[in-house]
Amino acid sequence: MTIDVKYQTQASATGGREGHARTEDGTLDVKLSTPKELGGAGGDGTNPEQLFAAGYSACFIGALKVAGQQLKVKVPDDVSVSAKVGIGPRAAGGFGITADLTVALPGIDRAEAEKLVEAAHHICPYSNATRGNVDVGLTLA
């Protein structure tokens, strides 16, 4: 697979789930904490699953806008995507994640909204990266 890269960024983490993560330009600079559900103390830091959920949500909105241009449908300014990301042991060993996206497209006819969501799922880089590896659910709010 060949990708014509238009943008690259870099982030680094230290200390794992009880550490710190920062982008090279410093625009993202976060303390990391392990959730109690994963055996950690919880705390006031974020975790990789939260960061993935935020990134997937934002990226999917971008994909909806591209799909809207392709399908000639105006995506509303108040479009929203909520991503619920889960983590746990896999039957085959190791750990895996799940993702469930809930998409709200106010003012769009349901049939048209479903077409937009399906098209966006084929456009979104996060969807393409996870396809076949992560169970991704799509719900239209």
Side-chain angles (χ1 to χ4, degrees):
M1 169 178 42
T2 302
I3 297 175
D4 180 16
V5 175
K6 301 294 185 192
Y7 171 76
Q8 269 185 315
T9 189
Q10 184 173 329
S12 299
T14 57
R17 287 181 169 272
E18 294 297 329
H20 185 261
R22 183 181 187 280
T23 56
E24 65 184 339
D25 63 4
T27 57
L28 177 71
D29 192 337
V30 295
K31 177 182 174 184
L32 301 171
S33 298
T34 302
K36 289 180 181 179
E37 297 85 348
L38 295 178
D44 59 355
T46 190
N47 61 64
E49 293 73 36
Q50 290 170 322
L51 295 169
F52 185 78
Y56 203 162
S57 296
C59 192
F60 203 83
I61 289 173
L64 285 165
K65 291 178 180 181
V66 171
Q69 291 171 346
Q70 292 176 352
L71 297 172
K72 309 233 184 304
V73 176
K74 167 79 171 92
V75 173
D77 292 336
D78 56 349
V79 59
S80 68
V81 175
S82 175
K84 183 184 290 186
V85 172
I87 183 172
R90 297 177 339 133
F95 285 80
I97 61 172
T98 61
D100 290 292
L101 305 181
T102 301
V103 180
L105 289 158
I108 304 264
D109 170 76
R110 185 161 191 88
E112 202 165 58
E114 288 172 353
K115 287 179 190 173
L116 275 173
V117 169
E118 187 59 34
H121 192 45
H122 289 283
I123 293 168
C124 179
Y126 277 66
S127 293
N128 288 329
T130 59
R131 190 167 287 110
N133 299 307
V134 174
D135 290 332
V136 176
L138 300 170
T139 302
L140 192 56

